[in-house]
Amino acid sequence: MLSEDQNDTDTDSAKDNEDVTSNEEVNNMAEDDKPVVRSSAQDKRKEGRSTKQRKGTNVSERQRDKKSEEDQERRKEDRVVKQKEPANVLERQRGENVEDQAAKRKGAANLLERQRGENVEDQTAKRQGNADVSERQREDNPEDQPVEKMLPAVKSQTERPQRPRRRERNKPADSLDPVMEKRIKKVVAEPRRQNPVQVGSDSCSGRYIYIHNLPRKFNQDLLENCRSLSFWTDMCECASNLGLGARLSNDEKLYSNSGWFATNQFLLEVIFHNRMKQYKCLTKDPLVASAIYVPYYAGLDVGRYLWDPDGFMRDYDALNLVKWLASRPEWKRMWGRDHFLVAGRINWDFRRDPKNESDWGNELLNFDESRNMTMLVLESSPWNYNDFAIPYPTYFHPSRDDAVFQWQNKMRRLKRRFLFSFAGARRPGRHESIRNELIEQCLASRRRCRFLECDKTQKCHKPANVMRLFQNSIFCLQPPGDSYTRRSIFDSIIAGCIPVFFHPGSAYVQYIWHFPRDYNKYSVMIPESDVKTGKANIERILTRVSRDRRVAMKDEIIKMIPKVIYADPSSRLGEIEDAFDLTIKGILDRVETVRNQMNEGRLVNYDFEEEESWKYFAIGKLGPHEWDTYFSRKIGKHGP
């Protein structure tokens, strides 16, 4: 059956068809019939006009009646509208109230989120006693403005977006990465600006360094809140004297009359920064600089939270620091390849497993920005190419060359009572450690070995006990501890004691800018596997070292003393190059090499597999090596 709409359509179509048919019939008429049709049409038009005239009066009356009815309808509608207006107003008010309430609730939620974000920093500031940070950060210098105004708040690891980890370091990085150097395309380092001084008379040409003016929270505020830096050590006293600590008296004639301090091994960042301020080739123009120094106290920062299971606070300042650097125009000249940073702890404190936020340390060295910089640490990773080891700070910080020469002469004249000695503590929980075996062998050689036990009495924390032991020993045993290296290595060197190593990671692949490449010239190497299995008798091995070789190694050690000390930052040495000077030379050479690689269109640091970094930097060549068994795999992230 058809619908009503379809029926109406059919009816209209039929009428149209009838009209079409009548028109066709008219057109088909004979010529003699057309006048008759035309006269009939005229008559009809006349009748129509007369009919319209008769109906005119009726139409006007009907229009007036219709108008009056429309007026009545409008008046009724107006009354209805007036009656509805209060209800509409009430509805609008209710709607506005709903929107106001929603806006208020949204504003309260946003305010609560901001307060929560601020509370994180407030809690951090309270822990640090940092009540006046906000006032200091309102200084005119834009670089001293709060980092939170320049950077988004740091989220927890579960909330913040995860960057893809580059597992295969020998392959080109993603060209869309805004931070990493665009390795696929040819990247040319921006040329340095010529110094106004004539090149021929400029002794600092190629050695200018620019110091980033970081916000205070990354360095100075940490020192001003030194009480929060450690639970066990008075870091305020340690940070005195430009980071050298309290002066040591020479009552026992163990030191020189000046230049000796109770220096904490974790204050290297402060010492280095203060030495950097005295560097004679500083520049305020980053376009002139060959390298850029980042004075972030990374070790002091992370040291506050190392025992905190939450990795959020350990990463907070480190992540903000690298974001701040990446936003600076100085960064984009070489994508940070000319930047360097001193982190005064071992590298494992900054290489937390990204999959385990509660694990030890933070992720400073894992960030892409950090991988572009040169990172200076107390102990480097043999399997990574961007961190380099520099010496631990010792107790000796001379202010003039004569003090160094006098100390070297004193160490040459000393008569040493013991063949070898060991200062350290046992490692009962680490089955791979050889310390227990060394201690047992030392105790068995009563007259030829002296053992200083670093137990709860903290005898090793007193400089006099350590220096007395090493000054009376020909050889000093230096096994790995919690990591490959120890501060004791450098204390023994300044005491003129020949170090005995058991793992090449303790020195030979570490301090490549400060130690001779030929390790046989200054040390003895005994494989730790021989000690562990009982094959190596320490006393017998050291007794067999000829007298001539002992004298030669001792002379080499005494020559190394200037290379492992950091001079007093309040003064400058004359002709002697200390550990700071050698570090700056190494940095400048490395940055210049990277700059040349970029200008030549080469892939930076991709001349070798990253896993073989220790071979490339320490030995100078790749291929099979006798130490492959030591570095064939990572035995735990804290070293051996």
Side-chain angles (χ1 to χ4, degrees):
M1 297 178 63
L2 298 174
S3 63
E4 294 180 358
D5 293 338
Q6 290 174 331
N7 291 331
D8 293 339
T9 303
D10 295 339
T11 304
D12 294 337
S13 300
K15 291 180 180 179
D16 293 339
N17 292 333
E18 291 177 358
D19 293 338
V20 171
T21 303
S22 61
N23 290 335
E24 292 177 352
E25 291 175 357
V26 172
N27 292 333
N28 294 329
M29 288 181 180
E31 292 294 333
D32 55 346
D33 294 336
K34 289 182 179 179
V36 177
V37 175
R38 190 163 48 247
S39 62
S40 300
Q42 291 176 353
D43 294 340
K44 290 181 180 180
R45 284 196 295 272
K46 289 180 180 180
E47 291 176 359
R49 282 197 297 271
S50 60
T51 303
K52 289 180 181 179
Q53 290 175 356
R54 288 194 303 269
K55 294 181 179 180
T57 55
N58 296 332
V59 171
S60 60
E61 291 177 358
R62 285 196 299 273
Q63 288 178 348
R64 285 195 299 271
D65 295 338
K66 184 177 180 180
K67 184 176 182 181
S68 62
E69 291 175 0
E70 290 176 354
D71 292 338
Q72 292 177 0
E73 291 294 329
R74 279 198 298 272
R75 285 194 293 270
K76 289 181 181 179
E77 291 176 0
D78 291 340
R79 287 195 297 270
V80 174
V81 169
K82 289 181 180 179
Q83 292 174 356
K84 291 182 178 181
E85 280 181 354
N88 293 335
V89 170
L90 180 60
E91 289 178 0
R92 286 196 300 272
Q93 290 177 347
R94 288 175 178 174
E96 292 174 354
N97 290 337
V98 171
E99 294 177 357
D100 292 341
Q101 292 174 2
K104 289 179 181 179
R105 286 195 297 269
K106 185 177 181 179
N110 293 335
L111 178 60
L112 180 60
E113 291 179 358
R114 290 195 300 271
Q115 289 176 346
R116 287 175 178 171
E118 294 171 356
N119 287 338
V120 173
E121 296 178 6
D122 291 341
Q123 293 172 3
T124 305
K126 289 178 181 178
R127 293 174 184 172
Q128 301 173 355
N130 196 11
D132 58 341
V133 171
S134 59
E135 290 296 327
R136 290 194 299 272
Q137 289 179 336
R138 295 191 185 100
E139 297 176 0
D140 294 335
N141 192 331
E143 293 185 351
D144 285 340
Q145 295 300 319
V147 178
E148 290 77 5
K149 293 183 179 180
M150 299 181 285
L151 300 171
V154 176
K155 300 180 180 180
S156 65
Q157 179 138 352
T158 57
E159 295 176 349
R160 61 177 180 252
Q162 297 294 324
R163 297 185 188 179
R165 300 285 173 182
R166 297 186 178 89
R167 297 299 179 187
E168 299 181 9
R169 298 293 182 181
N170 61 322
K171 292 185 177 180
D174 186 0
S175 61
L176 300 179
D177 193 330
V179 176
M180 293 292 288
E181 172 201 345
K182 307 301 184 295
R183 303 181 192 276
I184 295 179
K185 298 180 181 179
K186 180 179 179 180
V187 178
V188 179
E190 182 178 336
R192 295 191 301 274
R193 180 185 296 167
Q194 289 294 332
N195 194 54
V197 181
Q198 293 182 359
V199 177
S201 60
D202 186 5
S203 61
C204 289
S205 178
R207 299 194 295 132
Y208 281 107
I209 293 179
Y210 173 79
I211 301 179
H212 258 309
N213 186 16
L214 299 183
R216 293 172 57 94
K217 67 175 296 182
F218 293 123
N219 44 45
Q220 193 60 34
D221 286 347
L222 292 170
L223 294 182
E224 293 185 1
N225 297 282
C226 52
R227 299 292 178 188
S228 65
L229 296 179
S230 175
F231 295 106
W232 304 279
T233 305
D234 184 1
M235 297 300 286
C236 295
E237 182 179 358
C238 294
S240 62
N241 292 318
L242 303 178
L244 303 182
R247 294 183 181 273
L248 294 175
S249 62
N250 194 25
D251 297 338
E252 301 184 44
K253 306 299 180 182
L254 292 171
Y255 322 118
S256 306
N257 292 328
S258 63
W260 289 79
F261 301 82
T263 304
N264 186 282
Q265 67 178 8
F266 298 126
L267 265 296
L268 177 60
E269 301 156 342
V270 181
I271 298 171
F272 199 97
H273 188 192
N274 288 319
R275 280 296 308 276
M276 200 72 240
K277 294 176 183 178
Q278 300 295 326
Y279 181 61
K280 64 180 181 180
C281 292
L282 291 180
T283 178
K284 295 183 179 180
D285 186 357
L287 296 180
V288 175
S290 296
I292 296 177
Y293 170 53
V294 182
Y296 169 43
Y297 298 163
L300 296 183
D301 178 23
V302 74
R304 299 174 296 171
Y305 309 111
L306 280 177
W307 285 266
D308 190 336
D310 183 11
F312 172 77
M313 292 308 300
R314 283 179 272 152
D315 286 338
Y316 186 84
D317 284 341
L319 184 57
N320 274 333
L321 183 277
V322 297
K323 287 186 176 181
W324 186 92
L325 290 174
S327 68
R328 302 291 301 172
E330 298 86 357
W331 181 271
K332 297 176 177 61
R333 292 177 58 205
M334 290 180 64
W335 294 98
R337 294 288 185 185
D338 55 351
H339 287 49
F340 69 97
L341 184 153
V342 178
R345 301 184 73 97
I346 63 176
N347 81 95
W348 306 112
D349 293 337
F350 308 103
R351 290 191 186 279
R352 187 182 72 239
D353 183 356
K355 297 180 180 179
N356 187 359
E357 188 168 337
S358 64
D359 202 359
W360 179 267
N362 67 12
E363 285 198 76
L364 174 62
L365 295 185
N366 293 334
F367 297 145
D368 285 339
E369 297 88 344
S370 301
R371 291 182 59 78
N372 277 9
M373 293 190 286
T374 299
M375 311 297 285
L376 306 178
V377 289
L378 297 178
E379 174 185 323
S380 64
S381 166
W383 305 282
N384 297 94
Y385 55 59
N386 67 311
D387 52 302
F388 293 82
I390 60 177
Y392 284 73
T394 65
Y395 303 117
F396 188 30
H397 306 280
S399 57
R400 64 184 193 279
D401 290 359
D402 289 344
V404 180
F405 299 146
Q406 292 173 5
W407 179 256
Q408 288 176 304
N409 290 332
K410 181 179 180 179
M411 294 302 99
R412 288 190 182 98
R413 295 192 302 266
L414 282 179
K415 294 183 178 180
R416 303 176 185 266
R417 298 169 51 193
F418 307 108
L419 176 64
F420 65 105
S421 64
F422 175 59
R426 299 175 183 270
R427 291 291 187 271
R430 301 189 64 181
H431 67 277
E432 73 278 3
S433 175
I434 62 172
R435 287 196 172 200
N436 291 340
E437 287 78 7
L438 295 182
I439 292 173
E440 295 302 325
Q441 289 200 35
C442 183
L443 294 176
S445 303
R446 296 181 179 180
R447 295 183 178 181
R448 313 207 71 180
C449 181
R450 177 60 60 91
F451 171 52
L452 178 63
E453 187 171 4
C454 300
D455 54 6
K456 296 181 180 180
T457 60
Q458 297 186 347
K459 294 179 181 179
C460 294
H461 289 221
K462 297 179 180 180
N465 293 336
V466 176
M467 294 306 297
R468 184 185 301 108
L469 177 69
F470 292 162
Q471 289 180 24
N472 279 287
S473 305
I474 298 174
F475 296 99
C476 294
L477 307 184
Q478 301 296 347
D482 294 329
S483 64
Y484 291 135
T485 64
R486 309 172 67 206
R487 172 190 171 148
S488 177
I489 295 171
F490 301 93
D491 290 335
S492 67
I493 290 175
I494 63 172
C497 186
I498 303 169
V500 179
F501 296 115
F502 303 87
H503 193 292
S506 296
Y508 305 151
V509 302
Q510 297 288 344
Y511 309 99
I512 59 175
W513 299 333
H514 304 81
F515 285 5
R517 180 165 292 186
D518 184 1
Y519 61 89
N520 290 312
K521 294 176 62 176
Y522 69 92
S523 68
V524 175
M525 172 69 179
I526 302 175
E528 60 181 358
S529 58
D530 292 349
V531 176
K532 195 68 177 178
T533 58
K535 295 180 180 179
N537 184 293
I538 307 299
E539 180 180 353
R540 186 179 300 116
I541 292 174
L542 297 180
T543 302
R544 291 175 180 174
V545 176
S546 66
R547 179 178 179 85
D548 291 341
R549 189 186 173 197
R550 290 184 191 178
V551 172
M553 285 192 292
K554 180 180 176 181
D555 287 343
E556 188 66 30
I557 283 292
I558 293 176
K559 290 179 183 178
M560 291 171 57
I561 291 177
K563 300 179 181 181
V564 301
I565 60 176
Y566 297 92
D568 190 334
S570 63
S571 61
R572 289 181 182 174
L573 298 180
E575 298 179 359
I576 291 179
E577 291 183 330
D578 67 347
F580 171 84
D581 296 321
L582 295 177
T583 300
I584 294 299
K585 277 189 172 182
I587 286 292
L588 293 174
D589 289 343
R590 171 171 165 77
V591 172
E592 188 62 25
T593 300
V594 170
R595 183 179 285 109
N596 292 334
Q597 290 176 338
M598 294 176 67
N599 289 335
E600 294 171 2
R602 297 167 56 190
L603 301 180
V604 176
N605 284 335
Y606 277 77
D607 293 337
F608 56 94
E609 295 283 345
E610 189 173 19
E611 293 293 321
E612 295 187 335
S613 297
W614 63 272
K615 290 184 181 181
Y616 185 84
F617 292 125
I619 303 171
K621 61 181 180 179
L622 306 179
H625 194 271
E626 59 180 318
W627 295 337
D628 285 341
T629 56
Y630 291 96
F631 302 111
S632 60
R633 62 187 181 90
K634 300 180 182 180
I635 313 175
K637 68 182 186 62
H638 293 295

